[in-house]
Amino acid sequence: MRNCRIDFFMYNVQKDSAMKRVLFIVISALLSVYVSAQSSTNHMTFKGIPIDGSIDEFVSGMKQKGFTFIVVEDGVAFFTGEFAACSPCTIKAVSSNSTNVVSHVSVSFPSCETWPILLDNYSKLKSMLTQKYGKPKDCVEKFESFHSPDDDSSRMYELKFDRCKYWTQWETKKGYIKLNIAHEGVMSCFVVLSYWDKVNTEKVNKSAMDDL
């Protein structure tokens, strides 16, 4: 009878030890997931990639998402690919030499030849962004020419000479989002969508302030 009690005691000890090991593994796994989630939620993301880390890390993440990497020049990585059901888009990820981390990402949508198409692209994206992020913090949509343009050709002309201000901005806990109509020279007019990570943008600004 005594041996039976000893065997039963040893069985319980072993059982408790095994349960503690399992419990330890489960808790460790949960803590790992929690820490990973916390680190990722501190930063704004682009296609699920945190706007953070080195430019090489961001390039690796973009390649995994299927974007075509072009080149890195002066801390700016260039890609092409589809975004928000539009293709081909040009994506730029910008890092600062002072902080060596990616702070913002911008998407240039395909060029438009006419004002109605350009405005339609801008308006559709603005509507979708408002649905996702809520009411914009700021919005400016006007022409700054002496006479307000009264036809589409004139509107495109004013845009190409920097007298068209069409932009909308949202603010979240993680950063800032800006949608605007832009141009490059007098040939290419397009919509740009930019994402600024709050933490890393503040780091860049602080570094710039330290230089003053």
Side-chain angles (χ1 to χ4, degrees), residues 2-208:
R2 183 177 179 183
N3 289 338
C4 291
R5 285 199 295 269
I6 292 173
D7 291 344
F8 181 74
F9 173 77
M10 293 301 297
Y11 169 76
N12 282 332
V13 169
Q14 292 173 356
K15 182 179 179 182
D16 289 345
S17 179
M19 289 182 65
K20 287 178 180 178
R21 285 197 297 270
V22 171
L23 185 60
F24 176 78
I25 292 170
V26 171
I27 291 174
S28 298
L30 289 173
L31 284 173
S32 177
V33 171
Y34 175 78
V35 170
S36 176
Q38 285 296 101
S39 62
S40 65
T41 54
N42 286 337
H43 294 277
M44 181 166 282
T45 60
F46 179 84
K47 295 288 289 185
I49 307 168
I51 302 178
D52 188 35
S54 69
I55 198 72
D56 290 338
E57 291 171 335
F58 196 84
V59 167
S60 177
M62 289 288 282
K63 287 180 178 178
Q64 292 178 16
K65 292 293 182 178
F67 289 94
T68 301
F69 170 64
I70 302 174
V71 69
V72 174
E73 291 182 347
D74 299 324
V76 181
F78 294 83
F79 309 85
T80 59
E82 181 177 311
F83 184 82
C86 291
S87 181
C89 295
T90 300
I91 299 95
K92 295 191 294 184
V94 181
S95 66
S96 168
N97 291 331
S98 59
T99 62
N100 197 33
V101 294
V102 176
S103 59
H104 80 268
V105 178
S106 67
V107 181
S108 297
F109 289 86
S111 180
C112 302
E113 296 183 358
T114 65
W115 176 258
I117 296 176
L118 189 62
L119 181 60
D120 185 60
N121 287 352
Y122 170 86
S123 300
K124 286 179 178 177
L125 287 165
K126 179 181 176 181
S127 176
M128 288 190 290
L129 288 163
T130 299
Q131 289 180 40
K132 182 172 183 177
Y133 297 104
K135 184 180 178 180
K137 181 182 179 182
D138 295 296
C139 181
V140 174
E141 296 173 348
K142 64 180 181 179
F143 290 90
E144 295 182 331
S145 50
F146 185 72
H147 294 290
S148 180
D150 55 6
D151 62 75
D152 293 334
S153 296
S154 298
R155 294 183 181 97
M156 291 295 279
Y157 179 87
E158 298 300 327
L159 169 61
K160 293 173 182 178
F161 287 92
D162 297 323
R163 293 188 289 267
C164 172
K165 307 298 180 185
Y166 264 69
W167 59 266
T168 306
Q169 183 169 303
W170 293 261
E171 182 175 352
T172 73
K173 292 181 180 179
K174 300 176 187 177
Y176 315 92
I177 302 142
K178 184 176 181 180
L179 179 72
N180 66 290
I181 294 177
H183 73 95
E184 187 172 317
V186 296
M187 298 298 294
S188 183
C189 299
F190 46 90
V191 175
V192 178
L193 177 59
S194 302
Y195 297 83
W196 281 272
D197 178 70
K198 188 173 184 178
V199 173
N200 290 331
T201 297
E202 289 176 353
K203 286 181 181 179
V204 173
N205 292 338
K206 184 180 183 301
S207 178

